[in-house]
Every structure is written in C-alpha cells, then in structure tokens.
Amino acid sequence: IERADTYCRLLEVSHAMTRESGDVGSGARTVWEPLVEITGDLDHFLAIHHVADEARVVRFLAFADENPNSVRSCLSRARQNGQAVRDLLPTEVWEALNTVHLELSSGSPLRFSREGIFVFSREVRRAVALLHGLVDSSMRRDGSWYFLRLGRFVERAEKTARLLEVKYRLLLPDDPALVAGAQLHQWRTLLRSAGAHEASLRLDIAPDATRELVHLLVSDE
C-alpha cells in the first residue's frame, strides 16, 4: 500500500515537472529514466522498453502486470495479503482495501490515458490515505498494528533513500554555471516527491539550504 502511494506521488510530480519545465517531449533522461531508477526497476524496464519516455514509464509503473511493483500489482498483492489475514483486520479496513483493488483492476489504462495520470494518482492516494486512517482508528494497538506500521515506514525510508541517491546526482551537475533557478526547481521537485515540500515551507528552510534540506529528509523527527 505504501509503495503504491509512493509511486503515484512520484508519477504525479514527474508529470508536473515536465509541464513546468517545458520538457514534455524530451524528458526521458532528466525525468522519466531517473524516476524508474528511483523505484529500483530500471533494469527490468529497459529490458522491456529500451526507451524511458512518459507513456512507457507511466504504463510500467502504474498498470503493468509484468512489473510486480506497479501500482496495480502492489494493490492486488496487498489485497491478497489482507485476505490471508482477514481475521486480524477490522471489517472497515478489509472493505476499503477490497474496494480500491476492484476499482483499479476494473479500470482501463485507456481511461487514465484520457484523464491524465494526475487523476489516477489522486484516486489511488485518497484510497491509501483512507486505508491508513482506518488502520489507525480501528485497529487495536497490538502486534498486528505495529507490524503494519513497521512495513509502512521501512518502505518509506527505503524509497526516500533511493530518491536522495538518484536526485542528488542531478543536483550536482558537471557544469558549475547551471542556472540557480534550475537547481531550485530540482530541489522543489525532490521535496514534493518525498511529500516534504510543505514541511520545508513551514520550517522556513531556504530552497538553496542544501544541508538543512537533507537533514529534513534524513533525520528530522
């Protein structure tokens, strides 16, 4: 569930990044290939597609059954896992999990191609937020609840580390004369990808304060 939410946020931010930068047609090397590298699926992707453009990456990360980490695959596997421990889950949690699985499995990728990845991402992220809220509000604080939280935050830490590893290389260009605005745009994109952009604003961290931004993503509590 956490992985599906992360992938949707990354797709949403990457889509917005290409529009904001005017890089709609040539963002393979700067946006879409790094995105698949962040998810840890680059070798698998390139073995199938060879070129990382928006259409191929969106399909691979959102819908592809051949990708065990796609959003659809993750939610399907979460539903299978939930069914296996049905007696440990509150009815509301199981019903919400089953509902998002059925809605996504019955939805055509062509529909989301017409409506845009933003609509798809928001639908999935709302469903995931509902699931997390139901887990926290309806489950007894026993081993099952702690196990779910452990999985959730281990997954989040791993993806944040991957995000920093890949994006930080893009923030250290070979050309020291890189326009400062481009660097600020990359940092803003990184923070939005980690769901930490508004937190950085509330903490009044300057967009070019690299040390403080890294601290926020690595060790801020």
Side-chain angles (χ1 to χ4, degrees):
I1 291 171
E2 178 69 19
R3 186 170 301 173
D5 180 71
T6 298
Y7 279 26
C8 283
R9 185 171 61 251
L10 290 171
L11 285 167
E12 185 180 319
V13 172
S14 297
H15 174 80
M17 184 180 182
T18 59
R19 270 60 185 175
E20 291 170 359
S21 64
D23 201 18
V24 176
S26 58
R29 301 291 298 180
T30 59
V31 178
W32 298 110
E33 187 172 309
L35 173 58
V36 189
E37 187 177 359
I38 289 167
T39 65
D41 301 312
L42 184 58
D43 291 341
H44 185 192
F45 176 87
L46 292 178
I48 300 172
H49 294 290
H50 307 295
V51 177
D53 59 14
E54 180 172 357
R56 290 181 176 90
V57 169
V58 167
R59 181 193 173 279
F60 182 77
L61 294 182
F63 309 107
D65 293 329
E66 66 271 19
N67 177 14
N69 294 316
S70 71
V71 174
R72 175 180 282 176
S73 296
C74 284
L75 291 175
S76 176
R77 198 157 64 251
R79 194 256 188 189
Q80 292 172 5
N81 291 343
Q83 192 172 31
V85 293
R86 176 67 186 84
D87 57 318
L88 299 176
L89 295 178
T91 299
E92 294 90 342
V93 174
W94 166 250
E95 289 178 347
L97 179 57
N98 197 44
T99 297
V100 66
H101 162 72
L102 292 174
E103 289 178 350
L104 189 57
S105 61
S106 63
S108 169
L110 293 177
R111 171 203 159 195
F112 295 112
S113 296
R114 292 191 300 269
E115 296 179 350
I117 194 60
F118 184 83
V119 174
F120 168 78
S121 296
R122 283 304 166 97
E123 287 186 6
V124 172
R125 294 185 64 199
R126 286 193 188 99
V128 170
L130 173 63
L131 277 164
H132 286 323
L134 289 172
V135 165
D136 286 342
S137 66
S138 62
M139 285 189 71
R140 184 171 177 271
R141 272 31 175 187
D142 57 4
S144 299
W145 183 77
Y146 282 108
F147 188 80
L148 287 175
R149 285 178 63 81
L150 176 63
R152 177 182 176 185
F153 290 115
V154 167
E155 173 70 20
R156 185 173 300 183
E158 194 263 350
K159 286 299 182 288
T160 300
R162 283 185 177 275
L163 176 67
L164 277 170
E165 180 183 12
V166 174
K167 286 289 189 178
Y168 201 74
R169 292 202 303 268
L170 297 176
L171 288 164
L172 295 173
D174 295 330
D175 182 7
L178 180 72
V179 178
Q183 284 185 306
L184 297 182
H185 181 64
Q186 285 281 1
W187 268 116
R188 188 179 66 165
T189 300
L190 189 156
L191 291 167
R192 287 166 60 191
S193 297
H197 183 232
E198 291 191 8
S200 71
L201 296 177
R202 286 195 295 271
L203 292 170
D204 199 25
I205 301 176
D208 57 348
T210 301
R211 184 181 297 274
E212 288 79 3
L213 292 172
V214 171
H215 172 79
L216 173 65
L217 293 173
V218 174
S219 57
D220 184 85
E221 296 180 358

